[in-house]
C-alpha cells in the first residue's frame, strides 16, 4: 500500500455523514423560530460540514442563526437569551466563544446567534462572550474560501491529526494555514502535501499572522496563545519525524 492509499483509507475511516446536520437543523429549527419571535431571517448549516472538511473524531454540527437587522436586542442580550431559552427547554447547554453548545444524542450542536448588519448581504455581527465584545463575520466568505481551495483532503487529515493529539487549534485557523502551506504544491499528492503541512506548521505557527478574510480587524491567529502555538509546533515537528504514517494518523 502506498502512502497516499494509506492516508485515503484514514480519510474513509473518519468520513462524516452530512445528512446528520440536516436532521439536526430540522430538529432545532422550531425551537429557534420560537425563540427568535419573528426576527429569524434564516437558520442554516455552517462550519466544517458546509466547507467539506468535517471529520468524525471531532465534528460539531454548526447551525448559524441569522436574525434580521431590525432586531432590537443587543448582541449580548441575543446571545444570553438563547442560552437561557435552550436551557429552559431542558437541553444541556454551555456558553462558548460565539456559540451556544448543545449536547444532544452524544453529538455536539453549536448554535451561533447573529444579527445581519443590513437588510442585504451576508455580513453579520456576533457576540464574543470571552471578551464581552462583538465582531463582524461573513460565513459565506469563509465557506467559499475553504470549500474551493482544492485542499480538502489535507485539511481533513490535519484535523484528524489535531484531534488525535488533543491540540487546541481552531478549525478556521487550521484551514487557512493548510491552504497557505500548500500554496505552491501539486494537488493530489496527499502524503507529500500532508508532510509539507506538518513541517510548515512546526516552522511558522508561532509567527504567521492570519486575518479573517471577511473582517480585517479580526486576527484569527490571535485566538490561541503563544504557548499553545508552541505546543502545536512541537507536536507537528515530532509527527513529521516519525518513520511510519501509522504513528502520525491512524
Amino acid at each position: 500500500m502506498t502512502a497516499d492509499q494509506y492516508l485515503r483509507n484514514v480519510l474513509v475511516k473518519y468520513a462524516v455523514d452530512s445528512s446528520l446536520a440536516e436532521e439536526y437543523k430540522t430538529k432545532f429549527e422550531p425551537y429557534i423560530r420560537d425563540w427568535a419571535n419573528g426576527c429569524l431571517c434564516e437558520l442554516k448549516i455552517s462550519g466544517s460540514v458546509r466547507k467539506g472538511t468535517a471529520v468524525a473524531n471531532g465534528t460539531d454540527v454548526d447551525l448559524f442563526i441569522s436574525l434580521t437587522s431590525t432586531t432590537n436586542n443587543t448582541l449580548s442580550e441575543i446571545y444570553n437569551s438563547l442560552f437561557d431559552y435552550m436551557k429552559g427547554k431542558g437541553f444541556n447547554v454551555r456558553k462558548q466563544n460565539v456559540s451556544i453548545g448543545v449536547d444532544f444524542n452524544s453529538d455536539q450542536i453549536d448554535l451561533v446567534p447573529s444579527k445581519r448588519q443590513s437588510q442585504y448581504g451576508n455580513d453579520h455581527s456576533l457576540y464574543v462572550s470571552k471578551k464581552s465584545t462583538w465582531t463582524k463575520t461573513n460565513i459565506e466568505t469563509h465557506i467559499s474560501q475553504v470549500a474551493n481551495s482544492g485542499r480538502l483532503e489535507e485539511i481533513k487529515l490535519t484535523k484528524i491529526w489535531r484531534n488525535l493529539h488533543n491540540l487546541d487549534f481552531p478549525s478556521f485557523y487550521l484551514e487557512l494555514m493548510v491552504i497557505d502551506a500548500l500554496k505552491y504544491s501539486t494537488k493530489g499528492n496527499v502524503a507529500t502535501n500532508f508532510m509539507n503541512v506538518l513541517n510548515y506548521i512546526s516552522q511558522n505557527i508561532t509567527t504567521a499572522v492570519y486575518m479573517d478574510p471577511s473582517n480585517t480587524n479580526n486576527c484569527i491567529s490571535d485566538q490561541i496563545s503563544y504557548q499553545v502555538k508552541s505546543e502545536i509546533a512541537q507536536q507537528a515537528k515530532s509527527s513529521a519525524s516519525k518513520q511510519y504514517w501509522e504513528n502520525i494518523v491512524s
Side-chain angles (χ1 to χ4, degrees):
M1 182 186 301
T2 67
D4 282 358
Q5 288 171 334
Y6 172 80
L7 291 175
R8 289 198 168 101
N9 285 343
V10 171
L11 289 172
V12 170
K13 175 182 176 181
Y14 291 99
V16 169
D17 181 2
S18 60
S19 66
L20 181 64
E22 291 289 349
E23 292 177 13
Y24 282 130
K25 178 178 179 292
T26 300
K27 165 73 178 177
F28 283 91
E29 187 158 7
Y31 293 102
I32 300 305
R33 287 196 176 277
D34 182 48
W35 162 78
N37 194 27
C39 293
L40 182 67
C41 288
E42 188 177 9
L43 175 68
K44 54 186 173 182
I45 298 165
S46 61
S48 60
V49 173
R50 280 280 306 281
K51 294 172 188 172
T53 63
V55 293
N57 69 336
T59 291
D60 304 331
V61 175
D62 296 324
L63 297 178
F64 189 81
I65 303 165
S66 171
L67 299 180
T68 176
S69 60
T70 58
T71 303
N72 289 326
N73 304 78
T74 67
L75 292 170
S76 174
E77 290 169 343
I78 289 169
Y79 179 88
N80 287 301
S81 70
L82 178 60
F83 175 84
D84 292 339
Y85 177 89
M86 297 304 293
K87 185 176 181 180
K89 292 297 181 180
F91 290 101
N92 182 17
V93 296
R94 66 193 167 281
K95 293 180 180 180
Q96 301 177 144
N97 193 30
V98 297
S99 65
I100 303 299
V102 182
D103 292 325
F104 188 76
N105 287 349
S106 74
D107 292 313
Q108 180 173 314
I109 297 86
D110 288 347
L111 304 176
V112 185
S114 69
K115 183 161 68 172
R116 293 178 74 179
Q117 293 196 340
S118 69
Q119 289 182 294
Y120 307 99
N122 291 307
D123 287 345
H124 286 75
S125 299
L126 299 174
Y127 182 63
V128 183
S129 66
K130 290 183 179 179
K131 296 182 179 180
S132 298
T133 186
W134 71 279
T135 189
K136 171 189 168 186
T137 194
N138 188 319
I139 64 165
E140 298 304 325
T141 298
H142 292 189
I143 290 166
S144 176
Q145 181 154 347
V146 176
N148 298 321
S149 67
R151 303 300 186 181
L152 300 188
E153 289 183 315
E154 293 90 346
I155 289 171
K156 286 189 283 189
L157 285 168
T158 308
K159 285 187 172 184
I160 292 166
W161 168 81
R162 171 198 67 185
N163 298 337
L164 289 173
H165 293 286
N166 297 310
L167 299 171
D168 180 12
F169 197 170
S171 289
F172 190 45
Y173 181 10
L174 178 154
E175 290 161 348
L176 292 176
M177 197 159 203
V178 172
I179 293 168
D180 201 24
L182 301 179
K183 190 182 302 182
Y184 304 110
S185 299
T186 302
K187 294 179 180 179
N189 296 337
V190 180
T192 298
N193 289 350
F194 183 34
M195 184 57 66
N196 287 342
V197 168
L198 292 174
N199 285 320
Y200 187 88
I201 290 171
S202 71
Q203 296 165 16
N204 294 280
I205 192 170
T206 59
T207 56
V209 175
Y210 290 90
M211 306 305 295
D212 185 337
S214 67
N215 177 9
T216 55
N217 292 317
N218 180 22
C219 183
I220 299 294
S221 47
D222 279 351
Q223 292 179 321
I224 53 177
S225 68
Y226 182 87
Q227 179 180 345
V228 172
K229 291 175 185 177
S230 297
E231 291 169 359
I232 295 171
Q234 185 57 46
Q235 184 58 62
K237 182 178 180 180
S238 174
S239 293
S241 71
K242 301 297 183 185
Q243 183 176 359
Y244 301 109
W245 281 109
E246 292 88 341
N247 296 324
I248 302 175
V249 288
S250 59

